[in-house]
Amino acid sequence: MASLFMTPVTALSGIGPAKAEQLKKLGVTTVGELLRLYPRSYEDWSKPVSIAQAQEGDTCCIRARVVSCAKPAYIRKNMTLYKFTVSDGEDYMLLSFFNTLFVYEQLKRGGEFLFYGTVRKTDRGTEMSTPKLLASGTPHIRPIYQQTNTLKSSHIEKAMQQAVRMLPERVNDTIPAAVREEYGLCDLKYALENIHFPKDGEALETARRRLVFEELMILETGVCLKGSERLTKKPVHISRDYTKEYISLLPYKLTGAQNRVIKECVNDMQTAAHPMNRLIQGDVGSGKTAVAAAVCYTAAKNGLQCAFMVPTEILAAQHYETLSGIFRDTDIKLELLTGSTKPAEKERIYRELIDGETDIVIGTHALISENVEFKNLGLVITDEQHRFGVGQRAALTSKGEAPHVIVMSATPIPRTLALMLFGDLELSVIDELPPGRQKVNTYCVDGGLRERIYKFMKKHIDEGRQCYIICPLVEQNDTELNSAQEYAESLKDTVLGGCRICVLHGRMSAAEKDRIMGLFAGGEADILVSTTVVEVGVNVPNAVIMLIENAERFGLSQLHQLRGRVGRGTAQSYCIMVTDNTSPVTQERLGVMCRTNNGFVIADEDLRLRGPGDFFGSRQHGLPEFRLVKTSDMVNIESARQAARRILAADPLLEDKENAPLLFEVRRLFPIASS
Ligand code: ADP
Ligand code: MG
């Protein structure tokens, strides 16, 4: 299979330069990497149900014949509605499509099809709006891949079909045969074939189980290799603690917890036998940034360079502002480096980093770029760690000889997982909020109250306050992607019509996002209508209301993060979650939010309600490739760790021929953990 990692995706028919460029955005440039791009979900076209069986809200597949087709209705410019009636022989179903002339041409001719979509039961009967369709073929399970602007899941599916056929008869397996045998795992070829094109549900589960095990094993192996590397390194010790001096720069008094955690970090840097590897957990608003700044200050004053990596440009800019403010009257030299930093500016920053003129650089993953070199990198901090992959963090660390490492997180992670994701690490907890914080009053209401909520917001805006409105990002359907924009438009006809509204969404360029955040943070807008891009870390203390539309779509931890955007000053703040979903599960979940403001309690509840799968959700586990883990895999974690440790015990550097494929994968996912 190694050779497939040398075969560019352009070798596949249908993948030209443009599509290859899109695939690159998904981290795929070779056929080998493509095969490792697992589906994010599946559509089960394998078990069609009858129209009568389909319940309101079900997403399912129905086999039916076209019975009649209405005349196309021109609703408005650029908008044509096509309606059909289909039947499965027993019942009828109404289908509607917009602007899809080719579908109309296809269905007009009649015949039997498989329709896949979400069922609505209305007083007109059973309906499906814009279902997908297949001219009746063999029912099967279809993979759904992450898409980009112009690369559709179906494009990837076509390329994948070819890629799977390119797999050699015998694929060198990452998991040694003995381990596969012991844990009842299928081989790599079967796993890859069935994760993409499952024969049936059982084959999919078999494939998934094996790939999860494999990922866990690779992760453990990489972390072990990396960890043992750390333990062989001598740390650079600092001689003096500058925390007192730092404190004199602050406009407020540090909390006891902040002081304690800073001390723990400084102690490590002064005396620990190995470079520091510390996880700082602190609830949203607990003041992690001030702690990070303190540790940077002491490190910098001792002549070490610091790199502070954050997941978004908005956050990088904000931290830069905060730290610039604190360090204004000091000799600390601070830089901001992100993807949208101008080329000339970048050159200057690169130069000053390698000359050692810069003390602290704050940035996004732009910091990992090859061009970034340090004279003396001594401290690496990553904020909101769950947004980064293990490999990304490792890449930054490798830019120093043996830098001290801090990762910061607002999400409490169970110890087993933390060990696995970060290797042996020390834990510091900021278990205290700055004084004067009030509990954010939290409510869960249905859409019927929206007018009243708007009035409530208007009242606060008239008093000079600001508000957030979060509308969910609608994926897949391109036309809905601008939901934030449309939502903002719709506010014009409400009591909020006269307010200054700005809009933020994921499709904007980083520079544009920064500009908008800057407007809002500077008080030049009253309302920020946004998708979840504001979720992490943003700090605008004057904002007091957080309105979350379709709250049922968010996980508890995510809701808690969103709520954490308000209540950051001393004024009473509010979080209003709007949902029309009355299911007991949703109500229980949102009820937790109303009952408590404690992030640790919420994380526990999240664990109880949704299982640890969420910690592995593509965003939280830290390794983006690690997509497959579900609740039931907790048992797997221990087995995979053991297997990895046993392999390493027998062959510490993975020199054995049989372990070559494992080493290959570890190297691929941990770019530098290989020496
Ligand atoms: P988080 O832990 O969520 O990253 P931040 O570091 O963004 O929190 O801090 C949230 C807010 O609290 C900021 O406005 C910061 O200035 C303020 N803050 C931090 N520490 C203190 C403190 N000890 N006293 C008062 N305000 C503080
Ligand atoms: Mg933060």
Side-chain angles (χ1 to χ4, degrees), residues 179 182-183 212-213 216-217 220 415-417 419-420 616 626 629 631-646:
V179 177
E182 179 175 354
Y183 295 99
V212 167
F213 194 99
L216 291 166
M217 227 180 85
E220 179 69 12
R415 176 106 188 131
T416 351
L417 301 191
L419 279 175
M420 185 135 205
F616 288 111
F626 197 92
V629 177
T631 316
S632 54
D633 298 320
M634 276 308 260
V635 265
N636 255 338
I637 295 182
E638 215 27 64
S639 317
R641 288 190 72 188
Q642 280 168 11
R645 278 164 190 256
R646 251 181 297 148

Side-chain angles (χ1 to χ4, degrees), residues 58-303:
D58 281 356
T59 299
C60 56
C61 177
I62 291 178
R63 187 198 298 275
R65 284 190 156 277
V66 181
V67 183
S68 68
C69 106
K71 245 176 59 188
Y74 302 97
I75 298 180
R76 57 178 144 91
K77 192 165 167 258
N78 296 333
M79 177 74 105
T80 312
L81 172 65
Y82 303 100
K83 283 188 153 188
F84 302 89
T85 306
V86 297
S87 166
D88 61 3
E90 300 280 331
D91 300 277
Y92 293 96
M93 176 166 72
L94 216 61
L95 305 181
S96 44
F97 297 87
F98 296 94
N99 290 352
T100 41
L101 184 61
F102 60 100
V103 169
Y104 174 70
E105 298 291 346
Q106 200 179 1
L107 292 189
K108 202 172 64 172
R109 290 196 291 270
E112 192 179 72
F113 293 86
L114 288 169
F115 297 100
Y116 187 96
T118 304
V119 170
R120 292 264 105 88
K121 299 267 175 178
T122 68
D123 39 6
R124 288 183 300 259
T126 305
E127 298 185 18
M128 253 190 205
S129 173
T130 57
K132 299 186 183 172
L133 65 149
L134 272 182
S136 256
T138 10
H140 61 291
I141 300 175
R142 247 188 119 178
I144 303 297
Y145 299 94
Q146 184 183 350
Q147 7 196 34
T148 68
N149 297 353
T150 54
L151 189 70
K152 297 228 157 54
S153 173
S154 56
H155 295 137
I156 300 181
E157 187 180 348
K158 280 208 190 79
M160 199 67 78
Q161 279 162 346
Q162 303 170 56
V164 167
R165 278 199 300 272
M166 284 165 80
L167 280 170
E169 197 48 50
R170 264 198 72 246
V171 176
N172 290 336
D173 208 308
T174 339
I175 310 183
V179 177
R180 267 182 284 143
E181 185 128 338
E182 179 175 354
Y183 295 99
L185 304 167
C186 68
D187 65 49
L188 183 54
K189 182 169 166 139
Y190 181 91
L192 288 174
E193 283 168 353
N194 283 282
I195 201 72
H196 294 295
F197 304 105
K199 262 199 335 262
D200 50 37
E202 202 180 326
L204 174 58
E205 189 48 35
T206 304
R208 205 187 64 81
R209 202 171 85 79
R210 145 132 203 159
L211 292 172
V212 167
F213 194 99
E214 178 185 45
E215 290 204 5
L216 291 166
M217 227 180 85
I218 293 167
L219 184 56
E220 179 69 12
T221 310
V223 167
C224 282
L225 285 176
K226 191 71 204 145
S228 53
E229 206 176 284
R230 178 174 76 95
L231 297 185
T232 61
K233 286 197 171 141
K234 271 193 74 61
V236 188
H237 281 150
I238 56 165
S239 47
R240 241 191 90 188
D241 179 356
Y242 285 83
T243 308
K244 270 220 184 73
E245 204 172 294
Y246 169 78
I247 288 174
S248 72
L249 304 170
L250 294 176
Y252 46 75
K253 218 169 139 276
L254 290 175
T255 63
Q258 283 173 316
N259 273 315
R260 193 188 67 241
V261 172
I262 294 170
K263 189 137 199 51
E264 287 166 354
C265 296
V266 171
N267 274 349
D268 275 359
M269 294 197 297
Q270 281 182 315
T271 59
H274 308 296
M276 161 164 67
N277 192 29
R278 196 171 270 282
L279 170 64
I280 299 180
Q281 283 187 352
D283 205 349
V284 281
S286 60
K288 292 187 286 296
T289 317
V291 169
V295 185
C296 284
Y297 188 74
T298 284
K301 279 290 186 181
N302 280 278

